[in-house]
């Protein structure tokens, strides 16, 4: 098997982890401090995050969706596939280089979703957008860091705390959907979602080549 080739590196803000973009033939991977965060062969759970959340929207044609974390664009593309022509999708990505990679080298992987007229992408912290929004979004999809067990930046822990979840609840419209991706199960996090007032479904999604289990998608409805 051919070895991975390091293409580029990027530093996460606040002295967080270094992101490394690798390529092997037509396969790409992004690692953080030698731990793989995403791979262009394994993206079923990223797709499921958007598909499951957007299918629960009462009016997908007029939806306003916030996505935290661009990744390789698979969550964004799956959201666009479920939404109508007049929907709006705002993507917040903390690392500028990740946006640049998705505009260039990685753009073809998910079918160039950043070119869709419904999409606006901003470099910045999705937590700050959630904090200054109230009743604004039909859905919020978070594929940030490694899920509730934040890896690349300790600041991401706030998103998954009671305070962060309460703020996300307030940023949603009535019956809005909060979707969250995680690398693994987290009973404490599921309990926090319910404590805040969400009606919660936990969905395991098996990834190609993932040894020992599944990734987890939580679909939480504001009630």
């Amino acid at each position: 098997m051919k070895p991975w080739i390091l293409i580029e590196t990027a530093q996460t803000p606040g002295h967080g982890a270094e992101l490394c973009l690798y390529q092997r033939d037509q396969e790409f991977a992004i690692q953080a401090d030698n731990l793989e965060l995403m791979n262009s062969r394994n993206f079923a759970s990223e797709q499921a995050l958007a598909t499951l959340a957007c299918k629960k929207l009462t009016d997908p044609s007029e939806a306003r969706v916030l996505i935290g974390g661009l990744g390789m664009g698979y969550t964004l593309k799956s959201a666009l596939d479920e939404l109508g022509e007049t929907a709006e999708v705002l993507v917040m990505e903390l690392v500028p280089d990740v946006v640049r990679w998705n505009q260039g080298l990685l753009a073809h992987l998910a079918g160039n979703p950043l070119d869709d007229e419904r999409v606006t992408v901003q470099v910045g912290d999705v937590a700050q957008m959630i904090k200054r929004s109230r009743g604004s979004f039909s859905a919020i999809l978070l594929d940030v860091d490694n899920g509730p067990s934040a890896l690349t930046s300790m600041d991401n822990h706030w998103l998954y705390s009671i305070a962060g979840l309460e703020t996300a609840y307030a940023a949603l419209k009535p019956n809005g959907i909060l979707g969250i991706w995680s690398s693994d199960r987290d009973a404490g996090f599921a309990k926090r979602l319910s404590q805040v007032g969400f009606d919660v479904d936990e969905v395991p999604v098996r990834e190609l080549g993932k040894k020992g289990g599944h990734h987890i998608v939580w679909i939480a409805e504001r009630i």
Side-chain angles (χ1 to χ4, degrees), residues 155-215:
D155 292 341
N156 291 328
H157 281 293
W158 179 86
L159 277 171
Y160 306 109
S161 69
I162 288 290
L165 295 176
E166 287 176 340
T167 306
Y169 189 97
L172 288 167
K173 296 178 180 180
N175 302 117
I177 306 298
L178 175 64
I180 294 176
W181 181 95
S182 176
S183 61
D184 211 341
R185 296 183 183 274
D186 188 323
F189 178 67
K191 183 177 180 180
R192 291 196 296 277
L193 283 167
S194 298
Q195 183 177 339
V196 167
F198 286 107
D199 183 25
V200 184
D201 286 328
E202 180 180 307
V203 183
V205 182
R206 181 175 292 279
E207 295 282 9
L208 175 67
K210 184 177 189 293
K211 297 179 180 179
H214 304 72
H215 289 148

Side-chain angles (χ1 to χ4, degrees), residues 67-139:
I67 297 179
L70 178 56
M72 292 183 172
Y74 294 113
T75 296
L76 172 58
K77 178 59 166 63
S78 295
L80 293 170
D81 287 346
E82 298 295 332
L83 299 173
E85 293 183 359
T86 57
E88 299 177 17
V89 182
L90 172 61
V91 181
M92 299 295 300
E93 170 55 52
L94 193 60
V95 182
D97 290 293
V98 172
V99 177
R100 180 171 56 81
W101 296 343
N102 275 269
Q103 292 168 331
L105 189 62
L106 305 181
H108 67 285
L109 295 176
N112 302 284
L114 291 182
D115 293 342
D116 195 294
E117 294 182 352
R118 294 171 290 177
V119 176
T120 301
V121 60
Q122 294 184 19
V123 174
D125 187 351
V126 68
Q128 297 306 314
M129 177 60 68
I130 292 172
K131 287 177 181 179
R132 60 177 180 262
S133 304
R134 192 168 188 86
S136 298
F137 295 105
S138 310

